[in-house]
Amino acid sequence: MSQKITAAITAVGGYVPEDRLTNFDLEKMVDTNDEWIRTRTGISERRILRGEGLATSDMVVPAVKELCAKRGIDPSEIDALIVGTVTPDMMFPSTANVACHKLGATNAWGFDLLAACSGFLYSLTTGASLIESGRYKKVVVVGADKMSSIINYNDRATCIIFGDGAGAVLLEPSTEGYGVQDSILRSDGSGGNYLHMKAGGSLRPASNETVANNEHYAYQEGQAVFKFAVKGMADVSAELLERNKLTGDDIAWLVPHQANKRIIDATADRMGLSHDKVMLNIQRYGNTTAGTIPLCLWDWEKQLKKGDNIVLAAFGGGFTWGATLVKWGY
Ligand code: UT7
């Protein structure tokens, strides 16, 4: 009898750039202050990838290299690479293509997946399906964004929130039931008005006019997104617990998208989870879009124990949102 294959996470890698942009730096750039940013978002500083010729793939590569080193494998053993990102190096080729080349992942195919802040969860579920199908043995799933490339540093509504970073996990088949257990993923395109980048796509190709109008920067109506995010992330996380007959007591960690500490607190409360079980690194990295969840796993890896039930949850542009239940495998 053939055993059920699940997709276990068997290694984690991450990368954040050296350069820090603190709230005090931002005070000098826009009309804001450290106190406001900390109390309204929980953020103190973020990392920025500076330097000519550096792009999202340059964060993907060190994250994946670290993961390979930890697992003792060579990049040529990777079967597929999925990169969740809204800031690809270029519109095409995909950042996955570029990163595979730089890594020497010569036997991998791959693609970018665009689901904004839910990019890692969408990619994880997709990568897990490749493993569960039995056709692939080593799938790397990355969440990576160089948000500083699409942020207007004169717009205090967005520039205080976002930062750059990349996190990656390796998925391998498990016959003992470890890894991705269940996922609820949602989308609602009517939310697109509240969070988007107006120009640079086929709707409004880049032109002198779009650049003059700052339409190549991320646009967000924060309050509207906030309201949907609080409800969306909490609802889907609670639904995931219920459908798996679990309560907050059964969960070792909540790994939430790091957009705003107030959204995270609301989700933990809805799940009946004490706040010491919530991974929170927003104060150090800000919102790295697809990077937040794997960067939490990267920071907390040593504290995770084999068999821990963890819930990953996200809400973001699209709107896209979701929650994934993972049984930690090492
Ligand atoms: O990750 C993708 C999904 N994104 C999210 O989940 C983000 C969700 N939204 C948020 O996190 C919050 O809406 C923000 C952090 C973006 C903004 O916080 P808020 O509590 O919603 O602020 P607000 O836009 O309602 O503004 C409150 C006040 C306003 O002043 P008045 O009208 O009350 O006098 C703003 O003008 O704060 C003012 N304000 C600022 N003050 C200092 C707005 N931005 C700033 C700022 N510094 N950077």
Side-chain angles (χ1 to χ4, degrees):
M1 196 183 86
S2 70
Q3 277 171 305
K4 188 178 176 219
I5 299 170
T6 55
I9 295 175
T10 55
V12 181
Y15 178 82
V16 288
E18 290 285 312
D19 266 318
R20 288 156 207 261
L21 181 68
T22 67
N23 291 351
F24 299 103
D25 295 328
L26 286 165
E27 283 182 2
K28 294 179 205 135
M29 297 158 68
V30 289
D31 180 15
T32 191
N33 60 79
D34 172 58
E35 222 258 313
W36 191 94
I37 302 173
R38 271 191 295 103
T39 51
R40 306 297 273 207
T41 70
I43 304 169
S44 294
E45 61 180 39
R46 3 41 221 117
R47 302 299 184 92
I48 306 291
L49 184 66
R50 289 191 209 280
E52 274 300 304
L54 294 179
T56 296
S57 67
D58 296 297
M59 300 190 291
V60 173
V61 167
V64 176
K65 275 189 180 162
E66 186 190 67
L67 160 163
C68 288
K70 280 185 186 167
R71 186 69 181 139
I73 63 166
D74 187 83
S76 62
E77 295 175 55
I78 298 170
D79 297 318
L81 176 76
I82 306 175
V83 180
T85 187
V86 293
T87 51
D89 290 22
M90 300 179 197
M91 287 287 280
F92 73 91
S94 77
T95 307
N97 282 155
V98 177
C100 281
H101 174 64
K102 290 180 178 175
L103 282 161
T106 45
N107 295 306
W109 65 288
F111 54 93
D112 294 357
L113 193 156
L114 198 162
C117 298
S118 309
F120 182 76
L121 285 196
Y122 274 42
S123 300
L124 182 64
T125 301
T126 306
S129 306
L130 296 182
I131 295 285
E132 289 157 7
S133 76
R135 288 181 63 183
Y136 301 97
K137 305 288 180 231
K138 288 184 171 54
V139 175
V140 173
V141 175
V142 188
D145 272 299
K146 184 188 171 187
M147 292 306 292
S148 62
S149 66
I150 57 165
I151 292 300
N152 179 356
Y153 285 95
N154 293 316
D155 174 13
R156 71 175 183 175
T158 50
C159 74
I160 58 144
I161 304 170
F162 293 102
D164 302 341
V169 300
L170 175 64
L171 298 177
E172 295 185 78
S174 164
T175 48
E176 297 165 286
Y178 292 108
V180 176
Q181 308 291 304
D182 192 15
S183 251
I184 303 176
L185 300 176
R186 296 260 151 80
S187 86
D188 177 0
S190 70
N193 290 339
Y194 304 111
L195 180 51
H196 57 243
M197 193 166 104
K198 293 183 200 307
S202 58
L203 178 65
R204 269 178 85 64
S207 67
N208 288 341
E209 189 194 345
T210 63
V211 173
N213 292 340
N214 288 330
E215 290 174 1
H216 55 299
Y217 291 129
Y219 169 87
Q220 174 170 256
E221 290 176 31
Q223 258 188 23
V225 178
F226 186 91
K227 276 187 212 139
F228 283 102
V230 166
K231 184 166 167 19
M233 208 159 106
D235 279 357
V236 83
S237 303
E239 188 184 336
L240 184 74
L241 289 192
E242 209 174 305
R243 146 162 143 180
N244 286 276
K245 301 189 173 49
L246 300 170
T247 69
D249 292 340
D250 303 310
I251 302 302
W253 294 98
L254 170 65
V255 193
H257 171 52
Q258 314 276 307
N260 189 316
K261 186 172 179 305
R262 292 182 287 148
I263 300 171
I264 295 171
D265 290 345
T267 303
D269 291 344
R270 251 312 271 296
M271 293 171 71
L273 211 64
S274 64
H275 290 201
D276 58 344
K277 288 181 169 181
V278 178
M279 295 188 189
L280 194 78
N281 58 15
I282 192 171
Q283 62 280 13
R284 287 184 287 129
Y285 305 146
N287 180 349
T288 56
T289 302
T292 59
I293 291 175
L295 280 173
C296 279
L297 296 175
W298 184 55
D299 276 345
W300 266 262
E301 188 187 13
K302 286 201 172 68
Q303 294 175 59
L304 290 165
K305 294 190 194 71
K306 194 169 182 172
D308 276 354
N309 286 319
I310 65 175
V311 171
L312 323 182
F315 187 95
F319 294 133
T320 56
W321 69 105
T324 297
L325 177 67
V326 172
K327 192 178 278 295
W328 200 251
Y330 64 98

